[in-house]
Amino acid sequence: MQDKEPQTHGVLLRARNGDVIGFDETGLRMNLSDSVIADIHRRLSEAGDVTLDPAVLGDVDAWNLRQHGEWYVFSANLPGAQGPRQFRRRVQADADASAPDIIADTPGAVYALLALGGARRAVTANERLSFPYHVVTTGDDLGPAGAAGTERNAATGLMQRLTEQTRDSLIADEILRRRQAQHRALPLIYARSETDAAASVAALAEGAAFTNFSQTVANLSAAGRSVGKPVKVLAVSLDFTLEDVISTGPEWTVGMYRLMTRITNLFAEYSIRKPLFTAVFDAGSCAISDTAVLRAQWELAWNKGGHDHVYTAPGYMFAQDEFGRPTPDARIEMAEMDAHAIEAYNSDAPWSCPVLLLAEREADGKVIRCRGQAMGALTIDADDPLNAGESCGFRFAGDTSAARILDVRVDTKDRNDLLITCDKPPQGKDLTLCYALGHPALDDGMPANRGALRDSFGYVSATGRMLHRWALPAALPVH
């Protein structure tokens, strides 16, 4: 009996709509349904990158589109100073929902700039960011200023681009501009402020703003996990001085220390390192130039209480509107000074404004020596751009002799000492040397307080002004 030749083609399983499993010389062949193919595609996407048609993003100048888990990752040429580079967008789960925001796909950690404070910190404006895809905020549709304590933050790991700008987003944009100019990596920066109407620093630490701040930290951590990156908080800005209308000076100081400790402990719960705390030394407004809380800031300038805290600039160098809020140009200048300090501290470089520490009489009773601390030699700005006058921003409080300041100069033997010469010895049981405190208002769009003392640092702002590290206000008992 002759053996049959082996069959090289055939069908093993057939369905009504066609062959399912067959075979040929290469082995088994399987025809899969569209739903099975889609399922395999989804599983492969979760395991690694799959190249896709960029048309799924819409009318975007994009290429090299891949799906990685819940994200599309692609190269694109999008508006902004960043130029062509890599971006990402969440896969749209619901066809009827609006498309998720495109954000930058960046190396390293998700950076963050957070803020906690009062109403003046919640001010927003419509400045245009240079890096609109690199600065994001919580994906809860509240924007970078949050809800100002009017509602509770929702838990979410989503991130959104910004439709308005806060101080924090302007700081982020300034940091990105400097990094690009230095050919450094451009990170993704998460910016968010939390504020409320608390009337004391103790109430701020227990109120809606801190509750929302805690949720923001949780949301930041979740956002980092969503893109598979760690989180690094560049700074937490604390902005709460004139808003405190209840605390005494010591109560405000202790309250700020406690607030910083509470934030540090909160960060530890999410394995985020101890933060840098920043603030502009509030110099008051046109109408308010000397309060216990304004004076209390001086202690934080030299006594950090174990925290990393820095005053990035004194408030008297920035223009204000009639409500004591920084003007649009001043907001840019504040962001530039903040960015200088934050970048320095995160690079282990020094940054500090000059601080006045001690006032004492010389042998000649008409001369008061004021000892300070600065990164360089103290300078009396002869051009007096802030209109401090002949006294350079100094005055005596509690003086019963009506002494008049004739001259202020840096001691030639000690670059951080000032010699203040009067027409006669100032007298008084509570004699106090004040710098940039308690000045009368001038109708020039600036705070009432002003000074002419700085160090050698200078930076030309995007507004055209020359910015300096001016000395911080102080009230020093004369010994």
Side-chain angles (χ1 to χ4, degrees):
M1 183 175 178
Q2 188 176 6
D3 293 337
K4 293 182 179 180
E5 292 185 5
Q7 192 171 351
T8 58
H9 295 77
V11 176
L12 299 179
L13 180 63
R14 178 176 288 137
R16 292 176 60 185
N17 62 342
D19 298 342
V20 178
I21 301 176
F23 64 92
D24 58 20
E25 296 91 339
T26 63
L28 289 177
R29 291 181 294 104
M30 183 177 295
N31 295 324
L32 302 177
S33 69
D34 291 345
S35 62
V36 173
I37 290 294
D39 184 62
I40 292 173
H41 176 75
R42 179 184 60 80
R43 296 182 186 219
L44 287 173
S45 297
E46 292 176 354
D49 292 347
V50 176
T51 301
L52 302 171
D53 185 348
V56 301
L57 299 171
D59 191 10
V60 176
D61 184 11
W63 60 93
N64 192 26
L65 177 69
R66 295 93 66 205
Q67 184 176 345
H68 187 75
E70 298 178 342
W71 292 91
Y72 290 134
V73 180
F74 54 95
S75 300
N77 183 22
L78 298 177
Q82 74 280 336
R85 60 180 58 232
Q86 191 158 282
F87 299 87
R88 63 169 58 220
R89 198 204 78 182
R90 278 190 175 273
V91 176
Q92 191 168 348
D94 186 348
D96 295 330
S98 58
D101 283 350
I102 293 173
I103 63 175
D105 186 51
T106 59
V110 174
Y111 287 6
L113 289 164
L114 306 179
L116 179 65
R120 288 184 297 167
R121 190 70 189 202
V123 174
T124 62
N126 295 320
E127 290 98 336
R128 184 185 298 274
L129 291 180
S130 298
F131 299 88
Y133 298 91
H134 286 259
V135 185
V136 298
T137 192
T138 311
D140 56 7
D141 295 322
L142 293 177
T150 60
E151 60 181 274
R152 292 284 294 269
N153 287 357
T156 178
L158 298 177
M159 291 179 280
Q160 292 177 330
R161 289 171 51 210
L162 279 58
T163 57
E164 57 187 356
Q165 310 311 324
T166 61
R167 280 263 304 281
D168 309 288
S169 64
L170 293 176
I171 297 167
D173 206 45
E174 177 65 18
I175 288 174
L176 289 162
R177 278 196 293 270
R178 296 184 193 182
R179 292 177 72 94
Q180 185 190 52
Q182 297 165 359
H183 303 284
R184 298 166 64 194
L186 300 184
L188 187 71
I189 304 181
Y190 188 109
R192 181 76 166 212
S193 301
E194 299 296 351
T195 62
D196 65 18
S200 70
V201 67
L204 178 70
E206 301 295 334
F210 194 90
T211 298
N212 284 340
F213 183 88
S214 300
Q215 186 61 62
T216 289
V217 174
N219 290 344
L220 168 64
S221 182
R225 291 194 301 272
S226 75
V227 292
K229 298 177 183 295
V231 166
K232 179 180 179 181
V233 177
L234 295 176
V236 175
S237 293
L238 301 177
D239 198 344
F240 196 80
T241 48
L242 290 184
E243 292 84 358
D244 192 325
V245 295
I246 295 177
S247 302
T248 64
E251 287 171 345
W252 182 88
T253 304
V254 170
M256 292 302 290
Y257 288 138
R258 288 175 176 169
L259 185 60
M260 288 189 282
T261 297
R262 193 172 181 197
I263 292 172
T264 300
N265 292 340
L266 173 65
F267 278 24
E269 294 177 17
Y270 293 92
S271 300
I272 301 174
R273 75 175 191 179
K274 179 181 178 181
L276 167 67
F277 294 100
T278 64
V280 166
F281 194 115
D282 199 330
S285 66
C286 179
I288 303 172
S289 65
D290 192 0
T291 70
V293 170
L294 290 180
R295 291 191 178 206
Q297 296 172 96
W298 174 78
E299 183 171 339
L300 268 67
W302 62 270
N303 181 7
K304 313 299 183 181
H307 300 285
D308 292 331
H309 177 280
V310 61
Y311 282 114
T312 61
Y316 65 77
M317 65 183 283
F318 304 113
Q320 297 179 345
D321 65 16
E322 58 186 311
F323 302 107
R325 299 173 303 198
T327 64
D329 278 358
R331 284 158 42 82
I332 292 171
E333 293 164 359
M334 284 180 169
E336 290 169 335
M337 294 298 286
D338 287 343
H340 272 294
I342 291 167
E343 281 284 87
Y345 264 75
N346 282 281
S347 301
D348 294 323
W351 177 276
S352 64
C353 295
V355 181
L356 303 178
L357 300 174
L358 179 67
E360 53 189 1
R361 299 179 187 274
E362 291 286 273
D364 180 350
K366 293 182 293 185
V367 179
I368 304 297
R369 178 178 293 272
C370 181
R371 300 188 183 275
Q373 179 178 317
M375 290 179 60
L378 290 177
T379 298
I380 301 294
D381 196 315
D383 294 332
D384 193 16
L386 301 179
N387 198 18
E390 294 181 357
S391 66
C392 302
F394 288 93
R395 70 178 184 89
F396 288 105
D399 178 24
T400 58
S401 66
R404 185 167 63 90
I405 295 175
L406 300 178
D407 181 65
V408 179
R409 66 182 58 200
V410 178
D411 187 352
T412 56
K413 298 179 181 179
D414 191 328
R415 65 179 190 174
N416 283 173
D417 276 16
L418 300 170
L419 298 176
I420 301 171
T421 303
C422 304
D423 62 345
K424 54 186 171 182
Q427 303 291 337
K429 178 181 178 182
D430 297 317
L431 183 65
T432 302
L433 176 66
C434 295
Y435 172 76
L437 273 174
H439 289 275
L442 294 178
D443 188 17
D444 59 358
M446 299 292 287
N449 290 318
R450 54 201 66 225
L453 180 64
R454 59 176 177 84
D455 63 16
S456 60
F457 171 84
Y459 177 78
V460 179
S461 168
T463 67
R465 282 183 76 206
M466 175 64 78
L467 304 181
H468 293 291
R469 271 194 307 239
W470 296 96
L472 302 179
L476 307 175
V478 178
H479 300 286

